[in-house]
Amino acid sequence: MTIAGKINALVISIAVAAGCILTAIVLQLEYSSAKERLIKQSVNLVQSQPQLQVAIYLADTSELQATLQDILESSTTILYAIARDQNGLELNRIQQPDTLEYESTPFDLIRGSTSVVETSLTPRRGSFSMADTTSSWNLPGGDLVWDLTVPVLSVLNPLHQNVGRDALGAALASARSASSLYVVGYVQIGISRALLLQQILPTILAVMGIAMVFILLCSIFSRHMARRITAPFSMIKRMADDISSGTAVQPRGLESSGEFKEVVLLLNTIIEGLNTYKTRMDVDHQLLSMKVEERTSQLSKRNEELSEAVKQVTETKDRLRKLAYYDSLTGLPNRRLFTEQLDLLLRLAKRNKEMLALLFLDLDNFKRINDSLGHSSGDLLLREVAKRLARCVRGSDVIAHYVEPSSQIDVSRLGGDEFTVVLNQLDSADSAGMVAQRLLDILAQPIKIEGHDLVVTPSIGIAIAQADTETVEDLLKAADTAMYHAKSTGKNKYMFYRTDMDAAGVERLELENELRKALENKGLSLHYQVQVDTLTGTVTGAEALMRWPHESLGMVPPFKFIPLAEEMGLIGALGEWGLEEACRQMVELQSLGLELPKISVNVSALQFTQSFITRVSDILATTGLRPRRLQLELTEGIMMDNHEDTARSLADLKDQGVQLSIDDFGTGYSSLSYLSRFPLDELKIDRSFVIDFDKSQNDASLVIAIIAMARSMRLQLVAEGVETQEQYHFLRNNGASVIQGYLFSKPVPFEELKTLLAPGYFKEQIAQLNAR
């Protein structure tokens, strides 16, 4: 609201309040005056009626009726008039013609404590109604009525009886000379307040009209004065608006004021300067904003580049850490992380005087599975074993004593098929045995690998820290020693480390050193077991078998030093030596004129690589042996591992003229697809089927099936491990004619082989067998 509006509202409020107060005062005065006049008029009217004394004294009802009618008609505000005797008994009454009902009040209540010669005025709520219900004074709850009681005085004592009208007239005529007056009766007049207000209504309306005119004049005057007072403020406000908007100040309505023109000129000068400064500031602000945006963009770009660099560094760091501390195949901690964390755990266990156990696991016959199904299946098997070990070792078995939460080594892979499990805060060594048994049970369940149900068992060695050792190297060595004892005593079990096991570990270490020396000093030799064609009696070939004659240990069997060479990583060098020696001795036989169609050399899956193919070619060229006289015996694992690379390598060998044979066919996880896909020349029936043919109908049926399959695929067939006449006749009767085994000859040294190659050497023995 504007200042003018506020002033105008204030003046109007004051005027309205003054008018209302003035009206109320005037109305109160008029009302009181009318009331007093009416009372005085009524009293005078009663006292001016001398015939009223006679009528009351004589109880003349007709006279009383006429007198009361005069009183009732004297004013419109009188509702009724009642004549009473000196005791207050009603003699006559008259009321307004439109009054339907009236409830009388006892006279003593009306008079109250008023003296008998005094006039009384008593207000009460009148319970009456009018015939004209539209009357303005017929209000809810009844009207306020004043009962005016006026005593009627007389010179005659009302107690005197039988006074005639003439005597009364005479007494009244001499009333002025009477020394005392008597109350002969009362006149009760009912005065209505509503009718009294109705009577003075014109005066009320006139006063209210005057008050309204007064308020209106005050409103017009205040509006005019407010505008005159606030006009300069409005102009100042408009000038302030011009200044705030930056426009020149206009002298609206004050052009005649010289001082105002000077003020306007000064303000316009200031505004012009401010506008110039504002323009310059806007330009500067725009330039600054452009610079800020440019720098912000550059900083954002640099920040993004820095964030990306930090992210790459972090990712690289994580990758390097994972490569450095975790096995890429299984995702388990590797030897490095295992060693670092185990060293920390050992120190903590020593400080807290807690028991810590190390479980060293090695999978039994994993190399056989790896050779049979190939390296890809072996990798899948290792992953599944790692998952089972991780699930089997509960959180309660390994308590978080690590430097970093991500560096837990509860299950680790040291390499190959070797795993470790660390258990700390043990209550007893038996707890470690319980966990080891749980690991044996979980790994005993079949594992599905590429359609094959494999069962892989572990050998577990357990070493207890502080009891057996205090350093990582010693603890690992103790667990490894216990594991080898578990493996050597039947496998699929766990054993606790004992100090007497060290002797066996030393023996194995010495065996490793002796094997390395034997390889370096050519201390190994080859024995040969001939393959005899029972149809012609001639020797069709011989299998080269490696032997290790030791000065103190005697003849070390292959089942001891061949797995040892594989574990030591010497199998490649061992195999190359055997291949070269067999080729050299084959050439020597040819130079002596001894006929041996081919020599068979076993090839391990670990040495069958592309470099091996090249090495075969080099050895053939060096020794001068014709490739068709060399036969390589391959395991089924080589056939199953990476078909494309295997097919290419076998094709290279076949192109050189080398013959290819499948050794121990049927003992692994054979797939008939590779028999037709790869360029094979021969199948060898494993001795396990031949030995048990008469004990198992399934083995006999399987041998018959292998023979039939080889014939249908036009592959040469050799049955190895034949030792008895029954085995011989079973094989001959079912079509297997080429026999290898102790029935004809055990593996013999090279010099003894020369004797066996004499023409017709086995004909007499074959004839005897056929005769039987």
Side-chain angles (χ1 to χ4, degrees):
M1 182 180 292
T2 62
I3 297 176
K6 293 180 179 179
I7 294 174
N8 190 32
L10 179 61
V11 173
I12 292 175
S13 300
I14 294 173
V16 170
C20 292
I21 294 173
L22 180 61
T23 302
I25 294 173
V26 172
L27 290 178
Q28 181 62 32
L29 293 176
E30 181 64 21
Y31 173 74
S32 300
S33 177
K35 177 181 175 184
E36 293 297 330
R37 286 197 305 270
L38 180 59
I39 294 174
K40 186 176 181 180
Q41 177 183 343
S42 299
V43 171
N44 292 334
L45 182 59
V46 171
Q47 293 178 352
S48 63
Q49 298 289 335
Q51 67 276 16
L52 186 57
Q53 302 175 21
V54 177
I56 292 173
Y57 191 86
L58 298 177
D60 187 353
T61 57
S62 58
E63 185 64 29
L64 288 173
Q65 185 76 18
T67 303
L68 293 176
Q69 184 65 35
D70 291 340
I71 295 172
L72 187 64
E73 292 177 354
S74 63
S75 176
T76 58
T77 60
I78 297 175
L79 290 175
Y80 53 85
I82 302 173
R84 298 180 180 275
D85 60 9
Q86 73 276 11
N87 296 321
L89 296 177
E90 182 178 322
L91 300 176
N92 200 353
R93 69 180 300 164
I94 190 171
Q95 60 187 27
Q96 292 289 350
D98 51 357
T99 302
L100 299 180
E101 180 183 355
Y102 169 69
E103 296 181 0
S104 60
T105 302
F107 185 71
D108 55 348
L109 293 179
I110 293 175
R111 291 292 293 176
S113 61
T114 307
S115 172
V116 292
V117 294
E118 293 179 355
T119 301
S120 68
L121 183 65
T122 304
R124 66 179 178 86
R125 289 288 176 182
S127 299
F128 62 91
S129 61
M130 307 297 293
D132 185 6
T133 57
T134 62
S135 175
S136 59
W137 52 273
N138 190 18
L139 304 176
D143 184 20
L144 181 64
V145 178
W146 288 291
D147 282 318
L148 178 64
T149 55
V150 181
V152 180
L153 301 177
S154 176
V155 293
L156 291 178
N157 188 346
L159 299 177
H160 295 171
Q161 301 292 331
N162 300 321
V163 178
R165 184 177 296 271
D166 294 336
L168 286 172
L172 291 174
S174 60
R176 293 181 179 179
S177 60
S179 59
S180 61
L181 297 177
Y182 300 94
V183 177
V184 297
Y186 298 91
V187 174
Q188 179 182 348
I189 301 173
I191 302 173
S192 171
R193 184 183 64 176
L195 293 179
L196 181 61
L197 291 175
Q198 187 176 4
Q199 185 180 22
I200 64 174
L201 181 61
T203 304
I204 295 173
L205 293 177
V207 172
M208 292 180 64
I210 293 172
M212 292 298 293
V213 172
F214 173 75
I215 294 171
L216 180 60
L217 292 177
C218 290
S219 175
I220 295 173
F221 177 75
S222 66
R223 185 178 182 84
H224 176 70
M225 292 303 296
R227 287 183 176 180
R228 287 179 60 86
I229 293 171
T230 59
F233 294 102
S234 300
M235 285 182 286
I236 291 173
K237 180 179 179 302
R238 288 194 295 268
M239 290 170 63
D241 292 338
D242 292 340
I243 293 172
S244 63
S245 62
T247 59
V249 177
Q250 301 297 327
R252 302 179 182 88
L254 297 176
E255 293 82 356
S256 58
S257 176
E259 294 83 356
F260 185 76
K261 287 182 179 181
E262 292 179 1
V263 173
V264 170
L265 180 60
L266 178 59
L267 291 176
N268 287 335
T269 302
I270 295 174
I271 291 171
E272 183 177 357
L274 290 176
N275 287 336
T276 303
Y277 178 75
K278 182 176 179 296
T279 302
R280 185 168 66 253
M281 290 297 293
D282 290 342
V283 173
D284 293 342
H285 181 267
Q286 188 173 3
L287 293 175
L288 181 60
S289 298
M290 294 173 61
K291 289 291 184 181
V292 170
E293 291 177 0
E294 181 181 359
R295 293 294 183 268
T296 302
S297 177
Q298 294 175 353
L299 289 175
S300 298
K301 185 176 180 180
R302 296 294 182 272
N303 188 44
E304 292 176 359
E305 293 175 354
L306 181 60
S307 299
E308 183 64 24
V310 171
K311 181 180 178 182
Q312 292 177 359
V313 170
T314 303
E315 292 177 351
T316 303
K317 181 180 177 181
D318 292 340
R319 286 196 300 269
L320 290 176
R321 174 178 174 78
K322 189 170 184 180
L323 291 174
Y325 287 101
Y326 291 89
D327 177 52
S328 59
L329 178 62
T330 62
L332 295 177
N334 60 12
R335 182 181 290 272
R336 181 178 181 182
L337 180 59
F338 164 78
T339 304
E340 292 180 2
Q341 293 296 318
L342 182 57
D343 180 65
L344 172 63
L345 287 176
L346 285 175
R347 286 187 275 113
L348 289 174
K350 182 177 181 181
R351 184 183 66 186
N352 299 329
K353 297 181 179 181
E354 297 171 346
M355 181 179 294
L356 182 144
L358 173 63
L359 279 63
F360 194 101
L361 289 83
D362 185 87
L363 302 182
D364 301 329
N365 300 322
F366 173 73
K367 294 186 182 299
R368 179 179 63 82
I369 297 175
N370 203 31
D371 292 345
S372 300
L373 297 181
H375 295 298
S376 60
S377 297
D379 291 345
L380 294 176
L381 179 62
L382 290 176
R383 290 195 187 101
E384 182 60 28
V385 168
K387 291 179 181 178
R388 291 193 179 187
L389 293 177
R391 289 197 303 266
C392 185
V393 179
R394 299 190 299 261
S396 59
D397 297 328
V398 184
I399 299 177
H401 260 341
Y402 308 102
V403 176
E404 298 181 10
S406 61
S407 300
Q408 295 187 8
I409 56 167
D410 45 347
V411 180
S412 304
R413 183 189 179 213
L414 301 188
D417 58 344
E418 295 178 344
F419 298 86
T420 58
V421 176
V422 178
L423 308 175
N424 58 10
Q425 293 187 348
L426 297 177
D427 51 357
S428 66
D430 293 338
S431 299
M434 295 172 61
V435 175
Q437 185 60 50
R438 199 161 66 236
L439 296 177
L440 293 174
D441 296 340
I442 195 67
L443 291 181
Q445 300 176 10
I447 301 175
K448 194 80 170 180
I449 302 294
E450 295 184 345
H452 303 288
D453 289 328
L454 306 180
V455 176
V456 57
T457 59
S459 296
I460 304 176
I462 305 174
I464 305 298
Q466 294 185 354
D468 300 329
T469 181
E470 292 186 357
T471 65
V472 174
E473 293 77 11
D474 293 342
L475 184 64
L476 191 58
K477 179 182 176 182
D480 183 56
T481 301
M483 182 274 295
Y484 274 104
H485 273 74
K487 188 178 290 290
S488 63
T489 56
K491 303 179 181 180
N492 192 25
K493 62 172 61 176
Y494 68 88
M495 295 186 68
F496 284 90
Y497 169 78
R498 301 188 309 274
T499 55
D500 58 356
M501 294 180 178
D502 289 333
V506 172
E507 180 183 352
R508 183 175 182 273
L509 182 61
E510 291 178 353
L511 191 63
E512 292 178 359
N513 294 331
E514 293 297 326
L515 178 60
R516 197 180 303 274
K517 291 178 182 180
L519 183 60
E520 293 175 355
N521 300 327
K522 298 182 180 180
L524 301 173
S525 64
L526 292 179
H527 286 201
Y528 296 91
Q529 189 173 36
V530 295
Q531 299 169 350
V532 181
D533 187 349
T534 58
L535 298 179
T536 63
T538 60
V539 176
T540 61
E543 181 181 0
L545 301 172
M546 194 170 295
R547 294 293 184 264
W548 181 16
H550 193 272
E551 295 179 356
S552 60
L553 300 177
M555 186 65 69
V556 181
F559 68 84
K560 277 192 174 183
F561 70 87
I562 294 297
L564 186 61
E566 291 180 344
E567 294 176 8
M568 296 171 60
L570 298 177
I571 193 63
L574 202 66
E576 288 184 11
W577 175 86
L579 176 62
E580 185 174 2
E581 183 69 11
C583 291
R584 187 189 63 78
Q585 292 182 351
M586 183 70 173
V587 172
E588 183 179 344
L589 290 175
Q590 293 177 1
S591 65
L592 296 175
L594 297 176
E595 182 65 24
L596 183 61
K598 67 179 186 295
I599 189 73
S600 297
V601 179
N602 290 286
V603 179
S604 171
L606 298 178
Q607 69 179 117
F608 190 79
T609 61
Q610 190 61 39
S611 61
F612 173 76
I613 308 303
T614 304
R615 184 59 180 155
V616 170
S617 179
D618 295 340
I619 290 175
L620 291 174
T622 302
T623 59
L625 181 66
R626 285 178 291 180
R628 66 182 181 83
R629 290 187 177 273
L630 175 64
Q631 185 179 65
L632 299 179
E633 293 190 6
L634 311 174
T635 62
E636 290 182 288
I638 298 176
M639 303 292 110
M640 300 293 291
D641 186 22
N642 199 342
H643 290 180
E644 294 184 2
D645 293 343
T646 302
R648 185 164 51 251
S649 299
L650 294 178
D652 292 342
L653 291 172
K654 198 65 180 176
D655 292 341
Q656 296 179 30
V658 178
Q659 297 187 51
L660 303 175
S661 174
I662 295 296
D663 191 21
D664 300 335
F665 180 77
T667 59
Y669 298 90
S670 305
S671 174
L672 298 181
S673 63
Y674 70 74
L675 293 179
S676 60
R677 182 176 179 183
F678 297 144
L680 303 176
D681 299 291
E682 181 184 272
L683 291 183
K684 295 191 72 174
I685 303 175
D686 186 67
R687 65 185 301 271
S688 61
F689 298 125
V690 175
I691 293 174
D692 296 333
F693 85 94
D694 56 345
K695 301 177 182 178
S696 172
Q697 184 62 35
N698 291 335
D699 287 344
S701 301
L702 184 58
V703 172
I704 295 173
I706 293 174
I707 295 172
M709 181 177 60
R711 283 182 174 180
S712 65
M713 300 185 68
R714 298 180 181 179
L715 297 175
Q716 299 175 21
L717 189 65
V718 176
E720 62 179 351
V722 180
E723 299 178 357
T724 64
Q725 297 180 22
E726 290 79 8
Q727 296 169 359
Y728 169 82
H729 289 293
F730 171 73
L731 294 170
R732 279 292 306 271
N733 293 338
N734 287 284
S737 59
V738 180
I739 302 297
Q740 175 184 343
Y742 275 73
L743 180 63
F744 290 109
S745 174
K746 66 178 182 179
V748 296
F750 177 67
E751 294 299 327
E752 295 182 18
L753 175 64
K754 297 176 182 179
T755 304
L756 300 180
L757 296 180
Y761 183 85
F762 293 102
K763 283 186 177 181
E764 183 179 354
Q765 183 181 0
I766 293 174
Q768 293 176 358
L769 291 172
N770 291 336
R772 295 175 185 175

